[in-house]
Amino acid sequence: MTAPAAGLSNPSPAWPLGAPVAGQRARRSRTVQPEDIELFTRISGDRNPLHYDEAIAMGTRFGEIIVQGGVTTAILNAVVAEELPGPGTVFLQVEWSFRAPVRPGEEITGEVEVVEVRADKPITRLRTRVTRGDGVVAVEGTALCYTVPIVRPAA
């Protein structure tokens, strides 16, 4: 049997590669670009003027163009799928509060912390947060995740 990866518990039927451990954390950062708005619109169809029309956006409480919430939270998809719990992980349920806008050109950091790990199923509950480069929390909440064990064929 293979030893678990760093920070993981011993393998079990529900977690053949080892389970995450409560308190474990991961993060990832990136700078949001204007092109991200365009790409998200192509995927979603969201053409809200707050994301495109400078004059309209300036007349709102935001004062300028803001990116779609889906662009902001997408970094959490990357953290969960690439870092913790890791490859094979999908969201089952999310509960997010949008606290502050994100604007093109801002750096954001997505962070997750394992709060609970089920022993009988590969399910984790995470505390989630997206923080702007200026330290302001843009999104926070929780996520329930399911991890399909990914076993890569031997080369």
Side-chain angles (χ1 to χ4, degrees), residues 72 97-102 108 129-132 135-140:
T72 302
S97 295
F98 291 80
R99 304 282 188 206
V102 172
I108 57 173
R129 174 179 287 175
V130 178
T131 306
R132 299 187 321 204
V136 171
V137 174
V139 177
E140 64 183 348

Side-chain angles (χ1 to χ4, degrees), residues 123-147:
I123 293 176
T124 52
R125 182 171 305 282
L126 306 174
R127 185 171 298 118
T128 58
R129 174 179 287 175
V130 178
T131 306
R132 299 187 321 204
D134 61 3
V136 171
V137 174
V139 177
E140 64 183 348
T142 60
L144 189 65
C145 299
Y146 183 87
T147 303

Side-chain angles (χ1 to χ4, degrees), residues 49 52-59 63-65:
Y52 286 97
D53 191 316
E54 189 85 35
I56 288 175
M58 285 179 59
E64 61 187 298
I65 299 270

